[in-house]
Amino acid sequence: MTTASKITLLRVLMIPVYMVFMYLSKGQAGPWMFAALALFIIASLTDFIDGYIARHCNQVSDFGKFLDPLADKLLVIAAMTMFCEWGLWPAWALMVILAREFAVTGLRLVAVGKGTVIAAGWSGKVKTASTMIGLCVLMAFPQVEPLRWVVVGVAVITTLYSGVEYFVHNWNCLWNEKH
């Protein structure tokens, strides 16, 4: 296993600890929420670190290509699910984000079956980064109503945009027969 993949795996292992901190915070600013925020920031930074190491140290692997986006999704969905449970994130927004993730994953699976690999697009990276930053803001200020709606809006808009972009650029994967 490469160093990059070990870092990604570490991100996955941080998620249950993050969830415990979030549960202990009960959705309120305080020491447990700040511990959750610190762990979320560290986990988010590992996303950039493992990618940098993989690309610059020639450690790109199929395992890493599978695990890295999965780790990102699990971390972000864990945070959104906790906020949803506390009524601080609307369920419809979580559903939009989950639907996009499933749809893009399905598109990628179809493409791979036809011998095409769909790389992560720029808009998908912007979506991930803006959502992670927004969730950090929400953890720092969980009860600030207008700020919460800005974060939800940015997450939903970037999610929808990147999802549409993936399908527009790769629509032919759904209709062309395997070569």
Side-chain angles (χ1 to χ4, degrees):
M1 182 180 300
T2 66
T3 301
S5 291
K6 288 177 185 175
I7 293 169
T8 305
L9 195 54
L10 177 63
R11 182 162 71 253
V12 172
L13 295 175
M14 287 182 203
I15 295 169
V17 178
Y18 165 78
M19 294 289 290
V20 168
F21 290 165
M22 287 291 278
Y23 268 111
L24 291 172
S25 79
K26 298 179 181 163
Q28 302 297 316
W32 290 114
M33 184 64 83
F34 293 125
L37 172 59
L39 193 57
F40 189 90
I41 290 169
I42 292 166
S44 296
L45 290 174
T46 66
D47 183 30
F48 298 104
I49 294 167
D50 62 16
Y52 179 85
I53 290 172
R55 286 185 300 278
H56 290 83
C57 298
N58 198 28
Q59 293 186 8
V60 175
S61 67
D62 289 338
F63 180 69
K65 288 178 191 176
F66 164 76
L67 190 61
D68 183 66
L70 178 62
D72 295 344
K73 289 169 186 41
L74 290 174
L75 179 63
V76 166
I77 297 302
M80 288 179 188
T81 302
M82 291 304 304
F83 284 119
C84 195
E85 182 173 317
W86 296 322
L88 301 175
W89 190 275
W92 64 262
L94 178 59
M95 190 59 211
V96 166
I97 291 163
L98 286 171
R100 181 264 186 209
E101 297 305 337
F102 283 123
V104 170
T105 299
L107 176 65
R108 284 184 162 142
L109 288 172
V110 169
V112 164
K114 295 179 178 184
T116 302
V117 175
I118 299 175
W122 177 250
S123 65
K125 293 175 192 264
V126 168
K127 175 212 46 118
T128 299
S130 64
T131 300
M132 286 179 168
I133 291 167
L135 289 169
C136 287
V137 168
L138 230 52
M139 283 178 255
F141 307 102
Q143 302 299 325
V144 178
E145 183 78 21
L147 188 58
R148 193 166 68 234
W149 285 107
V150 169
V151 170
V152 169
V154 168
V156 168
I157 289 167
T158 58
T159 295
L160 289 172
Y161 180 85
S162 68
V164 168
E165 183 181 67
Y166 273 99
F167 277 88
V168 166
H169 290 197
N170 300 288
W171 191 249
N172 62 329
C173 292
L174 294 175
W175 306 112
N176 294 341
E177 294 302 317
K178 189 173 180 178
H179 297 92

